[in-house]
């Protein structure tokens, strides 16, 4: 499984029916990027998207602005619109930020989480530490972030972490960074620390450990 196949479990109050055109355009462009149809640095043709979706350029532009605000797309007026170049920038910042948000969410939610759910979250972290390929690691990371998102009650905080997760997903997918055996051992130890803190139900240690783990992912 690649991280492009990992789907976010949308909250009922986030879903819209029928979806507005900018939302449809956003989902279409985002899916194309996550599938790898467009890679880091590729230019995006807004006219092509409008033709594919049978809509005007206005909702396409709104979708592009939203992707730009997340950090997934770079826009230079009258010149180009392209996928952010994660190979040239620092993907570590995007991944670390997602870890900061997830750690904060878990610190708040952990005291009210039953033991079986804590164990499930810890098992997801174990998958991060035990992943033997980049693709399996990335899929485990996104699955963990999605599970953390499900614990948040405030709508705006949910959206914030979802957007950070999307950016982290692309940073992991396009960074092209490979780590040696020593780095893998550090990641495994960091994941074990998170899992232990979760199983113990310690919110403060969990937050600190999650931040440390995400600091070792890229």
């Amino acid at each position: 499984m690649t991280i492009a196949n990992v789907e976010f479990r949308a909250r009922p109050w986030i879903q819209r029916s029928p979806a507005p055109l900018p939302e449809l355009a956003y989902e279409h462009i985002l899916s194309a990027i996550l599938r790898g149809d467009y890679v880091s640095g590729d230019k995006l043709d807004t006219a092509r998207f409008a033709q594919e979706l049978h809509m005007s350029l206005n909702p396409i532009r709104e979708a592009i602005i939203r992707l730009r605000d997340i950090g997934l797309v770079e826009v230079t007026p009258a010149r180009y619109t392209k996928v952010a170049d994660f190979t040239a920038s620092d993907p570590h910042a995007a991944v670390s930020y997602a870890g900061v948000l997830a750690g904060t969410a878990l610190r708040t939610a952990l005291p009210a989480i039953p033991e079986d759910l804590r164990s499930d979250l810890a098992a997801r972290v174990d998958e991060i530490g035990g992943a033997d390929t980049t693709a399996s690691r990335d899929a485990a990371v996104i699955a963990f972030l999605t599970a953390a998102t499900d614990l948040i009650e405030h709508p705006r905080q949910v959206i914030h972490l979802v957007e950070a997760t999307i950016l982290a997903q692309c940073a992991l997918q396009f960074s092209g960074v490979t780590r040696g055996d020593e780095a893998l051992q550090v990641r495994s130890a960091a994941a074990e620390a998170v899992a232990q803190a979760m199983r113990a139900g310690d919110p403060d240690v969990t937050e600190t450990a999650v931040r440390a783990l995400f600091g070792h992912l890229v």
Side-chain angles (χ1 to χ4, degrees):
M1 176 186 292
T2 64
I3 58 177
N5 299 124
V6 179
E7 297 180 356
F8 295 115
R9 296 189 291 276
R11 295 290 184 87
W13 39 260
I14 293 179
Q15 296 172 344
R16 303 181 182 91
S17 182
L21 293 182
E23 181 72 20
L24 291 174
Y26 168 81
E27 293 176 357
H28 178 80
I29 300 170
L30 175 60
S31 295
I33 294 172
L34 296 182
R35 282 195 310 268
D37 296 349
Y38 299 90
V39 299
S40 186
D42 277 359
K43 291 184 179 180
L44 300 175
D45 187 342
T46 54
R48 176 180 175 179
F49 291 133
Q51 185 177 23
E52 290 174 350
L53 294 171
H54 305 288
M55 62 177 65
S56 70
L57 285 174
N58 284 337
I60 303 296
R61 292 187 182 112
E62 289 186 44
I64 291 292
I65 290 172
R66 182 175 170 187
L67 291 166
R68 180 204 64 189
D69 290 345
I70 293 174
L72 185 57
V73 166
E74 297 176 3
V75 178
T76 299
R79 290 186 59 194
Y80 62 75
T81 299
K82 67 178 183 179
V83 180
D85 190 356
F86 290 101
T87 60
S89 61
D90 182 8
H92 181 274
V95 177
S96 293
Y97 184 57
V100 168
L101 294 181
T104 300
L106 289 168
R107 183 193 64 196
T108 301
L110 204 62
I113 297 176
E115 184 177 352
D116 59 341
L117 184 52
R118 294 204 312 269
S119 295
D120 179 66
L121 285 167
R124 293 180 183 276
V125 177
D126 287 336
E127 291 177 0
I128 297 174
D132 55 2
T133 67
T134 300
S136 60
R137 176 209 63 180
D138 295 348
V141 169
I142 302 308
F144 170 73
L145 287 172
T146 304
T149 302
D150 287 342
L151 301 175
I152 302 174
E153 295 299 328
H154 195 284
R156 290 189 181 275
Q157 291 177 341
V158 171
I159 293 171
H160 197 185
L161 182 52
V162 166
E163 291 179 345
T165 299
I166 291 171
L167 187 59
Q169 179 171 347
C170 291
L172 290 167
Q173 183 169 333
F174 297 137
S175 67
V177 175
T178 57
R179 309 296 295 272
D181 291 340
E182 183 178 350
L184 295 179
Q185 292 174 1
V186 171
R187 185 190 76 199
S188 179
E192 184 178 355
V194 174
Q196 289 178 349
M198 284 184 173
R199 291 188 173 103
D202 190 322
D204 292 329
V205 175
T206 294
E207 179 185 19
T208 301
V210 168
R211 292 188 180 206
L213 171 61
F214 275 72
H216 294 298
L217 291 179
V218 178

